[in-house]
Amino acid sequence: MANSKYEYVKAFEQDDTLLPNTWIVVRIDGRGFHKLSDRYAFEKPNDRRALDLMNAAAVEVLKDLPELVVAYGVSDEFSFVFHPSCELFERRSGKLVTTIVSTFTAHYIYLWPSYFPSTPLQPPSLPSFDGRAVVYPTSRNLRDYMSWRQVDCHINNLYNTTFWMMVLRGGMRNTEAEEALKGTVSSDKNEILFKRFGINYNNEEEIYKKGSVVFRQYQLEEKKTGGTDQDATGEQDTPASQEKLSKTQQEKFKKLRRKAQVVVEHVDIIKDEFWERRPWILSGRVGKLPTEA
């Protein structure tokens, strides 16, 4: 850029570089999705088309950004995770967040007709998302964050399922259902669903109860036996700077990640098994492609 008398304005820019050697989570949320869901008549308590659309957009984000290692989504939110070794955009928060949000939104709008063919998008009811970046120093912190989101998914879905059954099938007004559910615990809601509506919550689809995990699939590894104070990667739960990858290694892994299939699963990510059988997620490395021996 050529020097000019106006260049002094660059001094007003603030540094937003995120802490090095930490996990970066970019969490996006739908803006005004309550109105959007009403405008396009999303089914209650869950609209499978809307959830599949969210997942499809998230898959495309992981394909576009090989630096991402995993993502987790529920309802109108998605959390995208960068490994501590990530140096994309020099770890500038603004660049990372806006890239995730804009890429996700672009794919969401582009894919909309595939999931809602009879209800094309119409202004002013257009989908948009906001986002923020948070850093976590250890793999345990990162796993606890992911567990928190999955627990939240279960709590919210159980409430919403009960609430909408009371409204749609029980004939109650929204305010009446809200009042009736005040102070109830999980067992109470399960009992209401079963006794009043013949619904066994355990038989509900896993996508509604557990949310969606998006990641690159390699050959699954056998679960480790025994136990120490290590985490599911076999590494001590220390700050996530375990091993600095060289630029050559990062470029090599980036190319290999582009060859891997990005999959969506609805599984338990709170227990160790998910992470033990997919150690490449927390290690930041790559596994063996399923076609390899």
Side-chain angles (χ1 to χ4, degrees):
M1 180 183 295
N3 293 328
S4 75
K5 67 177 182 180
Y6 305 111
E7 193 172 354
Y8 77 92
V9 298
K10 290 173 60 180
F12 290 92
E13 297 180 10
Q14 291 186 322
D15 178 56
D16 65 347
T17 304
L18 296 171
L19 195 67
N21 300 324
T22 55
W23 294 94
I24 302 173
V25 176
V26 176
R27 177 176 160 187
I28 69 171
D29 289 277
R31 293 183 64 248
F33 257 61
H34 180 73
K35 291 182 179 179
L36 187 84
S37 64
D38 289 341
R39 167 64 179 81
Y40 296 103
F42 283 15
E43 297 175 2
K44 306 293 186 182
N46 295 293
D47 192 310
R48 182 59 187 261
R49 301 166 301 171
L51 294 175
D52 286 343
L53 173 55
M54 290 285 294
N55 294 340
V59 166
E60 296 304 320
V61 173
L62 260 73
K63 289 180 180 178
D64 286 350
L65 297 172
E67 293 85 358
L68 289 167
V69 293
V70 67
Y72 176 78
V74 55
S75 186
D76 64 341
E77 75 169 56
F78 241 102
S79 297
F80 296 90
V81 181
F82 291 100
H83 190 266
S85 62
C86 174
E87 296 294 337
L88 182 64
F89 303 134
E90 292 78 45
R91 298 175 68 87
R92 286 148 57 193
S93 176
K95 293 279 283 186
L96 292 171
V97 172
T98 54
T99 297
I100 293 286
V101 169
S102 60
T103 304
F104 185 92
T105 304
H107 285 293
Y108 186 94
I109 293 174
Y110 176 76
L111 293 168
W112 177 277
S114 299
Y115 296 88
F116 294 90
S118 60
T119 52
L121 291 171
Q122 297 282 345
S125 297
L126 297 176
S128 63
F129 297 83
D130 58 38
R132 80 223 69 168
V134 182
V135 296
Y136 297 96
T138 70
S139 57
R140 172 51 58 188
N141 294 148
L142 184 276
R143 281 192 55 185
D144 285 347
Y145 169 82
M146 302 287 277
S147 298
W148 169 52
R149 300 318 305 139
Q150 189 162 69
V151 168
D152 212 45
C153 170
H154 161 69
I155 293 173
N156 289 336
N157 186 64
L158 178 57
Y159 179 92
N160 290 334
T161 301
T162 310
F163 174 86
W164 284 109
M165 286 302 102
M166 295 170 74
V167 172
L168 298 177
R169 290 175 53 181
M172 300 178 70
R173 291 193 294 269
N174 288 16
T175 53
E176 292 175 333
E178 290 174 0
E179 189 63 31
L181 289 174
K182 280 185 179 178
T184 59
V185 296
S186 295
S187 58
D188 299 326
K189 297 179 183 70
N190 276 285
E191 186 175 4
I192 291 172
L193 287 173
F194 188 73
K195 289 189 174 180
R196 295 191 193 179
F197 308 107
I199 295 174
N200 185 337
Y201 183 76
N202 292 329
N203 295 334
E204 293 293 289
E205 292 190 54
E206 295 299 289
I207 186 174
Y208 305 143
K209 297 186 296 181
K210 292 186 171 66
S212 301
V213 194
V214 184
F215 57 94
R216 292 176 186 82
Q217 183 65 291
Y218 303 102
Q219 287 186 19
L220 294 179
E221 299 190 13
E222 293 298 321
K223 289 177 60 178
K224 293 180 176 63
T225 57
T228 64
D229 58 350
Q230 297 175 335
D231 65 16
T233 64
E235 298 170 341
Q236 298 293 333
D237 191 21
T238 54
S241 58
Q242 300 99 339
E243 182 180 354
K244 184 76 171 179
L245 298 177
S246 67
K247 289 186 177 180
T248 301
Q249 286 176 310
Q250 292 182 34
E251 287 301 315
K252 177 183 177 181
F253 288 166
K254 184 186 295 186
K255 291 179 181 179
L256 291 173
R257 289 188 189 111
R258 291 192 184 279
K259 297 180 180 180
Q261 180 186 10
V262 178
V263 299
V264 180
E265 294 190 2
H266 318 293
V267 294
D268 190 322
I269 57 173
I270 299 174
K271 297 177 182 176
D272 290 340
E273 181 177 4
F274 173 84
W275 306 96
E276 289 177 344
R277 302 204 66 192
R278 301 164 184 84
W280 59 85
I281 295 177
L282 294 182
S283 71
R285 296 183 172 273
V286 296
K288 292 183 179 179
L289 293 175
T291 56
E292 294 179 3

